[in-house]
């Protein structure tokens, strides 16, 4: 009973917040509704027993990606009239996208109804680790069977990371940075001088 | 005593299950558990604010609050009452809905993470497999209370402060993540209770706690400092730097909304202290794994007392630092987070996993 209640709560909230994400007039509100949708998706993940994925969803999407979205959207000065003007022009493209998504959805549900696909070892027996927690099973799969794909994804991300830095980094001259090691290594003798000038005479440095 | 705390949640459910359905029993037991944690926590926050002010005053050779009640003990309650009677002011330019939701988010999130903190062996509200990840997830939500407050206030200084706060919290979450990975590697579990149990007799079979391990000690120091940055306590309280930003993201807030920020902030600080105790100092375990040399036969200090004592000790460190260390500059804060903590913690993940592989910890 509780599971059904929780499922309908999460599912309804997720669909509603997803819809409001598109419909909200203020882009900041849109992002906040999107965050609510992520959060409810995490709740659904917990209901199917994928607690690790749920936590990762919250940490990665809600905790990092959405914060960056919010950052950008808050600082943007968006002209709504201009955004609306592109609506008619982009309408056909949007419809095509919607149709493709609808086809995929129908196909996906059809495939699901046709029976589960045989995922697992070569002889067709599925290999979920009995009694192991989420993290252990994912780790066992990721670091044995899909090791190459996993490493390839890591290298891809690294390349993207370096690429982003290379594209945006520019050397600026004349910046007075702080050299902490130099400051720490500085001794009183180098930094101060003790002079006893005579009366009426100044000190020249 | 200990038997009573043993898996108290399950115990209660089975006890209630006699008279009602399992689901009703579960709901009731969980609600009671939440109240059992949240109410003492709120009382604790009130007293810890008093303690913070007293410690700070003592270090500045002042008296601190000493008027309301004996030794000023009731000062926080007087403040709370005062704040409740004040008028809630909503700036006319503010985004009203978000302006009111923001403090509620901060306060709720500060309470939520306590669900997975073990107070004693088995005395844990939600004994889930991914407890540590849950803490990380919830603490990453805390940034929304700040960022929404800054934006919805529609005011200059709160917005600056929100930008600072979110950049700061994201930066330090990265290194905290790597530090936690070191702990998880050694304990072999994300479950908070298992992490505490893994620390029993960790060093030479004598000391309970990862902090006594020379390889993990630097990680604890970094975790303590990162915790200060994460909760925006001094010396990293740049979001509330009054010389630059008036009062930071709370500038436009008054009455109960302001109080919610205050309570949430201190609940977060207590949570950081609890995490320090749980992850590095053996949680509810005694500091040493010997029955105190047989000085007091039959006297067993309950785990809750050990745990609360450790929390208070770490809170004293937090107060101490607040009273003595000057505030960082923002570029220094970012340098510490990205150029010192991140590489060092990354290196330590490598070192710890390498050591564990070499010594055959995983086989």
């Amino acid at each position: 009973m509780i599971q059904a209640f929780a499922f309908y709560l999460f599912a309804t909230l997720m669909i509603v917040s997803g819809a409001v994400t598109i419909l909200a007039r203020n882009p900041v509100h849109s992002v906040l509704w999107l965050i609510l949708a992520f959060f409810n998706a995490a709740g659904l993940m917990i209901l199917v027993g994928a607690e690790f994925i749920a936590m990762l969803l919250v940490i990665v999407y809600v905790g990092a990606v959405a914060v960056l979205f919010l950052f950008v959207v808050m600082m943007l000065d968006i002209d709504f009239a201009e955004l609306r003007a592109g609506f008619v022009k982009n309408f056909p493209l949007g419809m095509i996208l919607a149709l493709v998504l609808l086809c995929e959805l129908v196909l996906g549900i059809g495939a699901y109804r046709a029976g589960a696909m045989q995922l697992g070892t070569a002889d067709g027996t599925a290999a979920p680790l009995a009694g192991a927690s989420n993290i252990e099973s994912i780790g066992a799969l990721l670091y044995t069977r899909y090791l190459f794909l996993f490493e390839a994804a890591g290298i891809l991300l690294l390349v993207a990371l370096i690429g982003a830095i290379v594209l945006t980094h520019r050397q600026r001259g004349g910046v007075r940075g702080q050299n902490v090691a130099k400051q720490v290594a500085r001794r009183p003798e180098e930094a101060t001088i003790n002079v006893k000038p005579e009366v009426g005479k100044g000190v020249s440095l | 005593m200990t038997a009573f705390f043993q898996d108290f949640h399950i115990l209660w459910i089975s006890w209630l299950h006699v008279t009602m359905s399992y689901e009703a029993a579960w709901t009731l037991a969980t609600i009671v558990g939440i109240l059992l944690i949240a109410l003492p926590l709120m009382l604790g926050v009130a007293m810890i604010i008093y303690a913070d002010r007293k410690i700070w005053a003592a270090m500045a050779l002042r008296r601190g609050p000493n008027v309301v009640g004996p030794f000023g003990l009731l000062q926080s309650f007087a403040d709370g009452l005062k704040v409740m009677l004040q008028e809630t002011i909503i700036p006319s330019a503010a985004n009203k809905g978000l302006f009111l939701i923001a403090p509620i988010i901060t306060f709720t999130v500060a309470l939520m993470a306590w669900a997975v903190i073990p107070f004693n062996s088995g005395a844990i509200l939600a004994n889930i497999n991914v407890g540590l990840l849950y803490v990380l997830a919830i603490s990453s939500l805390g940034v929304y209370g700040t960022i929404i407050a800054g934006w919805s206030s529609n005011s200059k200084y709160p917005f600056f402060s929100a930008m600072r706060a979110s950049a700061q919290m994201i930066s330090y979450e990265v290194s905290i993540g790597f530090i936690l990975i070191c702990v998880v590697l050694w304990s072999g579990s994300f479950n908070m209770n298992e992490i505490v149990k893994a620390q029993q007799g960790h060093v030479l079979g004598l000391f309970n706690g990862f902090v006594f391990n020379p390889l993990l000690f630097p990680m604890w120091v970094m975790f303590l400092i990162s915790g200060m940055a994460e909760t925006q306590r001094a010396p990293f309280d740049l979001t509330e730097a009054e010389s630059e930003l008036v009062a930071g993201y709370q500038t436009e807030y008054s009455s109960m909304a302001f109080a919610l920020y205050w309570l949430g902030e201190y609940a977060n600080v207590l949570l950081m202290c609890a995490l320090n105790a749980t992850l590095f100092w053996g949680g509810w375990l005694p500091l040493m794994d010997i029955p105190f040399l047989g000085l007091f036969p039959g006297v067993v200090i309950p785990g809750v007392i050990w745990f609360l004592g450790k929390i208070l000790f770490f809170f004293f460190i937090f107060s101490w630092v607040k009273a003595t260390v000057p505030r960082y500059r923002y570029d220094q804060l970012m340098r510490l987070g990205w150029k010192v903590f991140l590489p060092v913690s990354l290196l330590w993940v490598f070192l710890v996993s390498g050591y564990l592989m070499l010594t055959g910890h995983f086989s």
Side-chain angles (χ1 to χ4, degrees):
Chain A
M1 201 261 297
I2 287 181
Q3 285 98 323
F5 176 73
F7 170 76
Y8 283 114
L9 182 77
F10 288 140
T12 319
L13 273 176
M14 190 174 138
I15 290 171
V16 168
S17 48
V20 182
T21 306
I22 308 170
L23 296 175
R25 285 172 175 273
N26 191 328
V28 173
H29 290 183
S30 272
V31 176
L32 291 174
W33 283 106
L34 183 68
I35 292 163
L36 190 63
F38 282 149
F39 208 68
N40 283 300
L44 288 176
M45 293 286 183
I46 287 177
L47 282 184
V48 296
E51 70 246 9
F52 181 64
I53 305 286
M55 289 304 144
L56 278 198
L57 194 67
V58 175
I59 292 173
V60 174
Y61 280 90
V62 179
V65 175
V67 173
L68 291 182
F69 276 10
L70 211 55
F71 242 73
V72 173
V73 167
M74 274 181 181
M75 302 222 252
L76 281 182
D77 189 21
I78 296 171
D79 188 358
F80 293 105
E82 203 175 316
L83 273 180
R84 295 253 169 352
F87 182 71
V88 179
K89 198 181 75 186
N90 293 328
F91 187 73
L93 189 67
M95 282 312 285
I96 291 170
L97 265 179
L99 266 177
V100 169
L101 283 177
L102 185 71
C103 289
E104 283 185 344
L105 206 63
V106 170
L107 211 65
I109 293 172
Y112 173 72
R113 294 295 290 251
M117 199 162 60
Q118 288 298 321
L119 288 171
T121 47
D123 58 334
T125 49
L129 296 174
S133 74
N134 255 246
I135 303 167
E136 282 163 25
S137 357
I138 288 178
L141 211 57
L142 218 52
Y143 287 101
T144 52
R145 203 164 164 229
Y146 298 111
L147 181 65
F148 173 70
L149 291 175
F150 184 66
E151 298 279 331
I155 289 172
L156 204 64
L157 282 174
L158 185 68
V159 169
L161 191 78
I162 295 170
I165 294 171
V166 167
L167 284 178
T168 54
H169 185 72
R170 63 195 162 95
Q171 205 73 46
R172 279 181 302 173
V175 180
R176 300 206 301 177
Q178 184 184 18
N179 190 346
V180 175
K182 197 179 158 195
Q183 284 184 344
V184 171
R186 209 151 93 135
R187 299 269 75 89
E189 302 84 62
E190 308 162 23
T192 57
I193 49 167
N194 194 359
V195 284
K196 292 195 173 75
E198 291 171 29
V199 178
K201 294 253 176 78
V203 176
S204 65
L205 289 170
Chain B
M1 189 74 179
T2 324
F4 176 73
F5 281 107
Q6 208 88 41
D7 285 14
F8 81 124
H9 197 219
I10 296 163
L11 203 82
W12 280 18
I13 293 172
S14 52
W15 181 63
L16 290 165
H17 190 28
V18 178
T19 50
M20 55 182 89
S21 74
Y22 179 80
E23 279 153 348
W26 183 87
T27 313
L28 195 64
T30 307
I31 289 174
V32 170
I34 290 171
L35 289 180
L36 262 182
I37 293 174
L39 293 181
L41 180 64
M42 280 299 97
L43 194 68
V45 164
M47 293 321 290
I48 218 82
I49 290 173
Y50 164 78
D52 194 26
R53 294 175 66 178
K54 271 290 193 196
I55 293 168
W56 201 5
M59 291 197 186
L61 297 180
R62 292 181 286 115
R63 284 193 184 279
N66 64 349
V67 176
V68 189
F71 309 107
L73 272 171
L74 301 176
Q75 180 66 47
S76 296
F77 301 100
D79 285 346
L81 198 66
K82 177 198 75 178
V83 147
M84 261 210 268
L85 297 174
Q86 280 173 342
E87 182 193 354
T88 307
I89 299 166
I90 301 173
S92 55
N95 195 320
K96 203 170 285 175
L98 289 180
F99 186 80
L100 290 176
I101 286 175
I104 299 173
I105 292 177
T106 300
F107 184 70
T108 319
V109 162
L111 291 185
M112 267 167 80
W114 285 88
V116 293
I117 301 289
F119 291 91
N120 202 341
S121 173
I124 175 169
L125 181 65
N127 200 359
I128 51 177
N129 277 334
V130 287
L132 200 54
L133 282 178
Y134 173 84
V135 171
L136 259 186
I138 295 301
S139 66
S140 69
L141 286 183
V143 69
Y144 285 108
T146 313
I147 201 170
I148 292 174
W151 183 78
S152 66
S153 295
N154 206 354
S155 167
K156 205 177 291 168
Y157 295 118
F159 189 66
F160 286 155
S161 163
M163 288 290 135
R164 277 187 179 189
S166 34
Q168 178 177 339
M169 286 169 87
I170 293 173
S171 309
Y172 279 85
E173 245 160 45
V174 180
S175 59
I176 284 186
F178 282 124
I179 294 167
L180 296 187
I181 284 177
C182 293
V183 173
V184 167
L185 277 174
W186 215 301
S187 60
S189 174
F190 274 98
N191 183 310
M192 299 291 266
N193 215 21
E194 295 300 319
I195 290 175
V196 173
K197 278 180 189 159
Q199 297 178 46
Q200 182 139 30
H202 178 64
V203 177
L204 307 169
L206 265 182
F207 299 100
N208 298 329
F210 286 138
V211 71
F212 300 107
N213 182 334
L215 198 53
L216 285 176
F217 178 75
M219 288 295 99
W220 170 66
V221 175
M222 279 170 55
F223 186 70
L224 187 73
I225 298 171
S226 300
M228 281 170 196
E230 184 74 6
T231 52
Q232 289 150 26
R233 284 281 289 190
F236 305 111
D237 57 344
L238 286 139
T239 53
E240 289 155 48
E242 59 272 7
S243 49
E244 304 156 24
L245 294 176
V246 191
Y249 56 91
Q250 317 166 334
T251 305
E252 306 290 345
Y253 281 91
S254 60
S255 88
M256 265 327 270
F258 175 75
L260 284 184
Y261 272 116
W262 219 27
L263 294 173
E265 200 178 297
Y266 273 90
N268 267 331
V269 171
L270 281 184
L271 178 75
M272 267 303 156
C273 300
L275 283 181
N276 264 303
T278 310
L279 299 176
F280 286 98
W281 288 77
W284 37 264
L285 292 167
L287 280 179
M288 292 181 79
D289 202 21
I290 40 173
F292 272 78
L293 310 165
L295 274 180
F296 307 101
V299 177
V300 179
I301 303 172
V304 185
I305 304 291
W306 276 110
F307 185 61
L308 293 182
K310 284 170 189 174
I311 289 182
L312 291 180
F313 173 70
F314 288 117
F315 187 78
F316 177 74
I317 294 183
F318 270 64
S319 286
W320 187 5
V321 169
K322 180 184 174 182
T324 46
V325 181
R327 185 181 290 138
Y328 257 49
R329 221 170 48 212
Y330 199 73
D331 62 313
Q332 291 172 329
L333 174 90
M334 283 296 148
R335 178 185 164 271
L336 186 70
W338 288 107
K339 291 191 178 171
V340 181
F341 281 5
L342 183 61
V344 172
S345 56
L346 203 55
L347 175 72
W348 239 262
V349 171
F350 180 73
L351 282 181
V352 167
S353 47
Y355 175 81
L356 293 177
M357 284 303 277
L358 277 181
T359 52
H361 185 80
F362 292 117
S363 53

